[in-house]
Amino acid sequence: MAAHIRRRLRKGATTTAVAAAAVAALAASQAPAAPLAEGSMGGDQQTAGGESGGPEDGAATGNSPYYTDLPPLVTPNRPGSSSNLPAATGSAEAGIPASVLAAYKQAERTVGTTDPACRLPWQLLAAIGKVESGQARGGQVDANGTTPTPILGPALNGQGFALIKDTDGGAYDGDAVHDRAVGPMQFIPSTWATWGQDANGDGRKDPNNIYDAALAAGRYLCAGGRNLAVAADLDRAVLSYNQSTEYLRTVRSWFAYYQRGTHEVPDGSGVLPTAPSTPTPSPGGTTSPTPGGTTSPKPSPSPSKPSGTKPTPGPSKPGDGTTSPTPTPTPPRPTPTPKPTPSPSPAETFGSLENAGTGPLTATAGSTFDERVSVRARNALGAPMAKVPVTFTVTGTTGTVFDGGKKKVTVISKADGTATAPALKAGEKTGEFTVTATAGTTRPRTLTYAASVTARQADKIVRVGDKALVAAPGEKFADAVTVKATHKGVAVPGVAVTATMVKDSLGLIDNDKGPYFKDADGKPLRTLDLTTGADGLLQLPEIFADENPGTYKLRLTTEGGGSVVLELTVQAPEETAPEETGTPEA
């Protein structure tokens, strides 16, 4: 058996000291390793809470052996640090080969994009990679991240390990009889067939490539909508990889150690775990594994009765005065155990929701948004997923609704995973609102989009009528001023219009004398904010003239760039000349 997959078991106080909640205790246990017990299947078996990431007893590795070496007592003292690390053993153990470290971090980024709710930490991948293969045998990989020779576990033939018959024809593991765990992350072929990834872009899904294997492990750990920032979800994820509480404690130990700090070392120079002896089945008969990891021989047949022993007399006949035997009760018919419902495959499991190219969501009051909210659903493998119900909800006070008048609609994703909401109809109130897309039931994924409704715009404003606007000093202008706002020739209701008394013909300089409006208290006001009516028309309030005669300007501007300057004249009315009277001729 290859040395890289062999495991050793820690006994007594050492195992007790390894507790997931106590990192210091985990790191402190450095007792010599014991050889693997015959028939061991990875320590105490424990299910993953019904949320297995894959097939084959819910374990990515088929519960194959693993390294049980623990981190050193002295741990790195600064998260993410590459300096001030402990000397000697601690510093060496904290080193991760460059390509292996790059693969873990790339997997974290990729999963963070397609499934951000999972919150996958690369240190968890590093912990599993350490336990499964010693970081690809200390970083023995080529420039593409592939191991020079396959990393293979023992044949899972039931002789001390799980029994998993061949599923790949030996394509991955070279064994056409039984499966073996393969590669730096030790996937069994059947699990790799479902979860395999091409993370290095070479067109192949290779379990012996650290980039492909790390991404596959990341997606596998995130299956079932897990949030790995939650301790219970993280535990379930690790147990789905190998159903052993000892395995969980060991991975947890390295996870905490790497969170304290790591540094990069050259490929091929990583620290290799200790390789224990190969476990073999007990001689003299078939053995079967027990929950404690030991084996028990089949019981021998019962010994024959010694000669000369009198047989036990049978029961007395009824009526002879002896006690009748008590009849043996008929045992109840056992209730058949229902077959468990198979877990959906990763391709059938909803994984994440992402933006499918939705642009800025802005529209003027009362108009239809040019942009529509669109999302893409992906399965647990990161591939587009069809037939996923996505619910879109509008939240806010602008009065915006979807086409049809609803604030909540549900759309089923198409073959490319996209689901596009109906067009949005802006309300009459300006301001901000949000559109939220939600999919999934167990742990829903959500995306929230910010949107806004702006005031209506007009690119042109004109005066209705052309009669000269004239008033005497101290009087009001007799004729009302009416204007019309339009956008591309169409009247626009509800457009904001600003009216300002100005000095120059361009309307750039405000005026402090001449015509004016009045506020609620009757005081002069030379700037007003107004709004056009339903027909786009606006009649200005009354305009008054002060005692200064002359020609003045009134500037009107709209949202959208429309502008017009009107002329106001303040002058005294012309006096009529008296008729001449003649003297009668003599």
Side-chain angles (χ1 to χ4, degrees), residues 106 144 197-205 209 211-212 215:
Q106 176 179 297
N144 293 321
Q197 302 287 306
D198 175 19
N200 65 346
D202 65 355
R204 298 179 59 225
K205 298 178 180 180
N209 180 275
Y211 291 94
D212 294 357
L215 180 57

Side-chain angles (χ1 to χ4, degrees), residues 78-112:
R78 220 169 46 169
S81 174
S82 59
S83 61
N84 296 328
L85 290 172
T89 303
S91 179
E93 288 286 0
I96 299 178
S99 294
V100 178
L101 181 60
Y104 295 150
K105 292 185 175 180
Q106 176 179 297
E108 179 191 62
R109 291 191 299 270
T110 301
V111 174

